[in-house]
């Protein structure tokens, strides 16, 4: 673990402890209500209401404070972690050689630096926490329900099964369609970018209608997928209302019978239904959170693909006190890794301080390649390049790049 991550991890642990304490207060509340109903309300004892009422207020206030504290603690480590990762990635990208940037599409790097990092941040800041919290809450509530009155507890457990099953299926489809919408929005953005950059060309060639049609197609695609997404959620959330309500009706009916027979107190039944409804969200969101975890892992993999690439060009330690600008190519050869034929073969060239040299040649002759060897955008495959007698590979990269200036073809 990198040392700068340590303070964030400490904070994360505090946040988790706070969250667990928060769950305890949530569960405690129905239990207090149970005491109120079975005690003061049942016996018509108004005086007994006060301590329990104060306790309820205290627990409620504690819950609010815990939520406030958790959120306050959460913001900094999560955003800080994202910033640290982002800086790391950017710095690494700057150090990677030209060859790497040639092989990777800029869009791929861009999506790693933005979307993948946000996915990881969302999981670390929200998903992971709620995953653990929900599992704990579901476990604790289930034990309580079975403990209170096991026949109804089993009924509630049985109703959880279809919810888990549907939400797992729903989330898988939902993630897939969200991805699709995102990709299509990306395509749309690319079209806007292209037409903004190429507006002169588009106008010069009279391609306005063609460009419009392409954009229109892409926009309609986004519309279609977004509508599918909304339909899917509408179906799922309706389902999510139905099952718990049917279960609630059954629990109230069977619970009332049990109260009549004296197997259950009225307060316990009220506590039971309240606790039972507390299960709905943690259970339903399980699928979503698991999908989020999966996504975050994919994103971390995608990020690591870049971070694990070792910079091929590392600087030496040499410096030049007073650069004079004496450049020599000594038997330099260069071949691109992916081609058979060398671009340069046994090049000898000396440029003395103050001299100006023009290199002229056909397109593809290797002029750009030759000049790229001096600031070490690439390294020769044979021979060496020296500045004031120092092999450029022995020079520290900062020194080297301060003594070599490049003016590009485009002004
Ligand atoms: N990244 C690369 N991978 C493989 N081959 C490459 C790569 N970059 C350039 N080449 C090849 O190396 C040769 C030399 O290219 P270079 O760009 O140095 O030519 P140039 O003389 O600068 O041409 P121009 O006058 O068009 O700028 C060309 O045949 C080119 O196709
Ligand atoms: Mg060139």
């Amino acid at each position: 673990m990198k040392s700068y991550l340590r303070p964030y991890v400490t904070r994360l642990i505090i946040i988790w402890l706070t969250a667990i304490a928060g769950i305890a207060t949530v569960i405690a509340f129905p239990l207090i209500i149970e005491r109120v109903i079975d005690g003061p309300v049942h016996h018509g004892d108004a005086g007994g209401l006060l301590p329990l009422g104060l306790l309820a207020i205290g627990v409620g206030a504690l819950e609010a404070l815990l939520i406030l504290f958790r959120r306050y603690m959460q913001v900094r480590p999560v955003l800080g972690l994202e910033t640290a990762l982002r800086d790391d990635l950017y710095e690494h990208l700057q150090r990677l050689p030209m060859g790497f940037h040639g092989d990777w599409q800029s869009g791929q790097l861009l999506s790693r630096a933005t979307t993948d990092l946000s996915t990881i941040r969302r999981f670390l800041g929200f998903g992971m926490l709620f995953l653990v919290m929900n599992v704990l809450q579901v476990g604790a509530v289930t034990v309580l329900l079975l403990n209170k009155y096991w026949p109804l507890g089993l009924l509630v457990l049985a109703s959880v099964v279809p919810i888990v099953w549907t939400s797992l299926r729903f989330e898988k489809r939902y993630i897939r369609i969200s991805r699709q919408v995102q990709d299509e929005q990306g395509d749309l953005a690319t079209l806007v970018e292209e037409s903004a950059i190429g507006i002169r060309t588009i106008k010069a060639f009279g391609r306005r209608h063609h460009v419009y049609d392409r954009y229109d197609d892409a926009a309609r695609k986004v519309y279609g997928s977004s509508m599918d997404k909304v339909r899917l959620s509408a179906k799922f959330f309706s389902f999510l209302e139905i099952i718990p309500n049917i279960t609630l009706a059954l629990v109230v009916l069977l619970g009332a019978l049990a109260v009549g027979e004296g197997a259950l107190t009225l307060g316990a039944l009220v506590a039971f239904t309240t606790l039972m409804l507390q299960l709905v969200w943690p259970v339903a969101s399980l699928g979503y959170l698991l999908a989020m975890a999966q996504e975050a892992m994919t994103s971390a993999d995608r990020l690591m693909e870049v971070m694990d690439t070792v910079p091929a060009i590392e600087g030496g330690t040499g410096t030049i006190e007073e650069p004079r600008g004496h450049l020599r190519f000594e038997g330099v050869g260069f071949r691109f890794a992916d081609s058979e034929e060398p671009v340069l073969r046994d090049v000898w060239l000396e440029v003395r301080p103050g001299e100006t040299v023009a290199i002229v040649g056909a397109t593809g002759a290797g002029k750009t390649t030759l000049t790229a060897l001096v600031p070490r955008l690439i390294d020769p495959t044979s021979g060496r390049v020296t500045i004031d007698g120092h092999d450029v590979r022995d020079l520290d990269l900062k020194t080297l790049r301060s003594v070599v200036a490049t003016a590009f073809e485009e002004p």
Side-chain angles (χ1 to χ4, degrees):
M1 181 168 42
K2 299 221 169 158
S3 61
Y4 63 72
L5 294 181
R6 216 158 279 144
Y8 301 127
V9 172
T10 318
R11 271 194 175 224
L12 280 177
I13 292 173
I14 297 176
I15 290 167
W16 283 29
L17 293 178
T18 316
I20 292 171
I23 294 175
T25 60
V26 170
I27 292 177
F29 213 79
L31 300 179
I32 297 175
I33 307 270
E34 176 180 358
R35 288 284 164 81
V36 170
I37 294 177
D38 287 345
V41 172
H42 188 68
H43 301 118
D45 162 27
L49 271 179
L50 188 65
L52 285 173
L54 287 178
L55 181 62
I57 291 175
V59 168
L62 181 63
E63 187 193 346
L65 279 178
L66 285 170
I67 292 178
L68 192 72
F69 180 68
R70 194 191 77 216
R71 299 226 154 174
Y72 171 77
M73 291 291 286
Q74 208 167 355
V75 178
R76 268 220 304 191
V78 169
L79 289 182
L81 201 64
E82 188 190 11
T83 310
L85 284 172
R86 177 165 285 149
D87 284 353
D88 249 16
L89 176 67
Y90 190 79
E91 199 220 9
H92 191 71
L93 284 178
Q94 296 297 316
R95 280 173 45 209
L96 287 174
M98 295 298 288
F100 173 85
H101 290 279
D103 292 345
W104 280 67
Q105 283 185 353
S106 58
Q108 289 291 335
L109 293 178
L110 194 67
S111 68
R112 278 165 177 74
T114 55
T115 320
D116 286 315
L117 275 176
S118 311
T119 309
I120 294 173
R121 183 217 344 126
R122 254 181 299 146
F123 180 66
L124 286 181
F126 164 84
M128 193 162 68
L129 182 70
F130 278 91
L131 197 59
V132 175
M133 271 172 72
N134 289 357
V135 169
L136 282 177
Q137 190 170 354
V138 170
V141 170
T142 307
V143 169
L144 264 176
L145 288 183
L146 286 172
N147 195 34
K148 282 225 164 306
Y149 190 53
W150 67 266
L152 284 187
L154 285 183
L155 177 72
V156 171
L157 265 190
S159 78
V160 160
V161 174
I163 297 184
V164 171
W165 190 70
T166 326
S167 66
L168 285 178
R169 260 174 35 127
F170 164 76
E171 299 307 344
K172 226 180 253 165
R173 279 203 272 166
Y174 189 78
I175 293 274
R176 182 152 21 93
I177 203 155
S178 301
R179 267 271 168 82
Q180 196 185 331
V181 172
Q182 257 176 14
D183 287 349
E184 287 171 3
Q185 277 169 344
D187 291 344
L188 206 60
T190 310
L191 285 176
V192 174
E193 190 197 344
E194 280 176 4
S195 55
I197 293 173
I199 189 70
R200 284 168 64 98
T201 320
I202 293 167
K203 283 188 182 291
F205 287 90
R207 302 297 279 171
R208 198 152 55 87
H209 295 291
H210 170 76
V211 172
Y212 174 79
D213 289 343
R214 274 213 313 179
Y215 186 81
D216 188 44
D217 282 347
R220 273 170 208 284
K221 254 197 198 156
V222 173
Y223 171 82
S225 316
S226 304
M227 284 302 278
D228 286 347
K229 189 171 151 183
V230 173
R231 271 190 213 106
L232 189 66
S233 332
K235 267 197 274 183
F236 174 68
F237 287 108
S238 315
F239 176 81
L240 214 55
E241 288 291 313
I242 293 169
I243 297 274
N245 280 326
I246 293 177
T247 315
L248 183 63
L250 283 175
V251 164
V252 170
L253 186 72
L254 298 175
L257 291 176
V259 171
E261 283 169 7
L264 197 66
T265 65
L266 191 59
L269 179 61
V270 172
F272 194 98
T273 52
T274 316
L275 281 171
M276 180 202 123
L277 290 176
Q278 279 184 7
L279 279 181
V280 177
W281 265 111
V283 168
S285 60
L286 217 57
Y288 178 72
L289 295 171
L290 287 175
M292 233 174 136
Q294 207 175 20
E295 259 199 319
M297 277 192 277
T298 315
S299 288
D301 273 348
R302 280 162 55 89
L303 207 59
M304 281 335 237
E305 264 180 90
V306 178
M307 295 301 278
D308 285 346
T309 309
V310 183
I313 293 187
E314 292 282 9
T317 51
T319 52
I320 305 179
E321 285 308 319
E322 278 174 39
R324 289 175 300 119
H326 188 167
L327 176 67
R328 274 174 64 91
F329 282 69
E330 300 174 3
V332 169
F334 183 80
R335 189 170 58 81
F336 281 102
D338 54 359
S339 70
E340 302 274 298
E341 280 295 298
V343 177
L344 305 172
R345 197 181 297 125
D346 199 25
V347 176
W348 289 81
L349 171 69
E350 179 158 16
V351 186
R352 293 196 179 80
E355 253 180 347
T356 304
V357 174
I359 299 163
V360 183
T363 271
K367 304 179 292 294
T368 301
T369 308
L370 183 83
T371 51
L373 290 167
V374 185
R376 293 191 67 203
L377 301 180
I378 50 177
D379 277 337
T381 32
S382 61
R384 59 181 207 143
V385 178
T386 64
I387 295 176
D388 295 343
H390 303 273
D391 188 325
V392 288
R393 279 169 295 197
D394 296 336
L395 290 175
D396 139 73
L397 281 183
K398 225 169 133 191
T399 306
L400 175 64
R401 290 186 182 152
S402 70
V403 298
V404 180
T406 309
F408 293 96
E409 285 155 44
E410 275 138 41

